[in-house]
Amino acid sequence: MKNIIYGLIILLSSFTTNSQAQSIEQNAHKKVKHIYLTFDDGPLNGSRRINDAVLAEKLPIFVMLVGEHALARPKDVKLYKENKFIGVGNHSYSHANNRYKLYYSTPKGVLNDFIRNKDTLALDNKIGRLPGRNMWRIKGRSRNDVSSGIAAADLLAKNGFSLFGWDLEWAHDPHTGKPIGAAEDIFKEIEKKLNNDKTFTKSHIVLLSHDEMFRYQYEESELKKLIDLLKSKDGYKISQLKDYP
């Protein structure tokens, strides 16, 4: 009898220890803050520098490509697709021809534009971002910025597309493509958003930037600087967009 009781004590002790270890591991995972670096409108003049920066830093990013741009720069598309750190998604074939209200007035046309882009780029996923709209359709959750585009976003989601908006944009000059704000400024904004729970999903932040922002060496250096700042912060992890919860 004593041996049986002793065995039960050992078993219960082992179970408690394992449970505590699992609890500690789960709590540690919850404390991790995930950053998703995304780049729109490519491939353009910044594609090669983005590709080089990612290869140097060996951390994941996600690019949202436009079909019309891809046809003009097939070598850059190839670079992206062959880079194991880069995920490639759908930013429409036409980018709405920059006439957004007209584009979104025909939701079926938007769906066809995304399907055309998926086929043109031979994408193996249905991850996308609407041109000119910060709208989310992720695993049954949604958020809209303006009314124009809601019907199109809903139709895309109905057809299996996951649409990502963004929590923070690294803006750029629309005429020169030059980034507005240094890496340190963007890092501070990321910290503020995460600390104040001002993101679509708590502890997860999607940063939007644009391909044309990284055409020159100093701009590539700013991107590397931001990545280094994020890497140096305890509890931060740069994650791949396809793993977004």
Side-chain angles (χ1 to χ4, degrees):
M1 179 65 72
K2 289 183 179 179
N3 289 337
I4 293 174
I5 294 172
Y6 181 74
L8 286 173
I9 292 172
I10 295 296
L11 181 63
L12 288 171
S13 176
S14 174
F15 177 78
T16 301
T17 302
N18 289 338
S19 297
Q20 289 174 339
Q22 289 177 358
S23 178
I24 291 170
E25 184 179 346
Q26 288 171 355
N27 289 334
H29 180 71
K30 287 179 182 178
K31 291 179 181 179
V32 173
K33 291 181 170 61
H34 297 266
I35 298 94
Y36 305 86
L37 304 178
T38 67
F39 300 78
D40 277 9
D41 301 341
L44 290 170
N45 293 334
S47 297
R48 298 196 178 194
R49 291 198 180 277
I50 292 171
N51 185 73
D52 290 346
V54 170
L55 284 175
E57 297 290 340
K58 294 181 172 55
L59 284 170
I61 69 163
F62 205 89
V63 295
M64 300 286 189
L65 301 188
V66 176
E68 289 183 345
H69 299 168
L71 291 180
R73 307 180 74 94
K75 291 182 180 179
D76 291 338
V77 176
K78 189 171 184 289
L79 278 179
Y80 278 154
K81 285 193 166 188
E82 290 179 350
N83 189 329
K84 66 180 181 179
F85 300 106
I86 297 179
V88 179
N90 196 329
H91 198 38
S92 81
Y93 181 84
S94 67
H95 202 274
N97 295 311
N98 295 322
R99 301 176 68 185
Y100 302 113
K101 285 187 178 180
L102 177 62
Y103 181 70
Y104 291 115
S105 67
T106 311
K108 186 64 182 297
V110 176
L111 174 62
N112 290 337
D113 200 44
F114 269 74
I115 291 173
R116 182 182 182 185
N117 198 41
K118 183 178 185 300
D119 293 342
T120 298
L121 295 172
L123 296 177
D124 61 0
N125 65 72
K126 282 191 163 184
I127 297 173
R129 176 175 284 143
L130 294 176
R133 295 290 183 268
N134 186 2
M135 293 191 179
W136 299 74
R137 297 291 186 278
I138 305 293
K139 299 177 182 177
R141 296 181 295 146
S142 66
R143 179 183 288 173
N144 303 308
D145 55 348
V146 295
S147 59
S148 169
I150 291 177
D154 289 342
L155 184 59
L156 283 162
K158 185 178 179 180
N159 282 269
F161 284 89
S162 295
L163 299 179
F164 283 87
W166 60 91
D167 299 300
L168 177 65
E169 180 179 5
W170 191 351
H172 66 297
D173 187 305
H175 302 294
T176 66
K178 183 178 179 181
I180 298 174
E184 291 88 348
D185 302 321
I186 302 304
F187 178 72
K188 289 176 183 177
E189 288 298 316
I190 288 172
E191 286 190 303
K192 186 186 299 184
K193 287 267 187 182
L194 288 169
N195 290 337
N196 295 329
D197 292 334
K198 298 294 186 182
T199 58
F200 183 68
T201 300
K202 184 176 181 179
S203 299
H204 295 262
I205 185 166
V206 175
L207 176 68
L208 165 66
S209 51
H210 297 82
D211 188 294
E212 59 266 37
M213 293 168 57
F214 305 103
R215 296 174 296 173
Y216 303 108
Q217 181 64 50
Y218 80 93
E219 293 169 342
E220 180 185 342
S221 296
E222 283 297 297
L223 175 58
K224 288 180 178 178
K225 188 182 296 183
L226 175 61
I227 291 173
D228 287 339
L229 286 167
L230 294 170
K231 285 168 63 178
S232 68
K233 177 75 173 182
D234 286 343
Y236 278 18
K237 180 181 179 182
I238 299 176
S239 299
Q240 182 55 271
L241 195 66
K242 67 180 179 61
D243 298 324
Y244 189 93

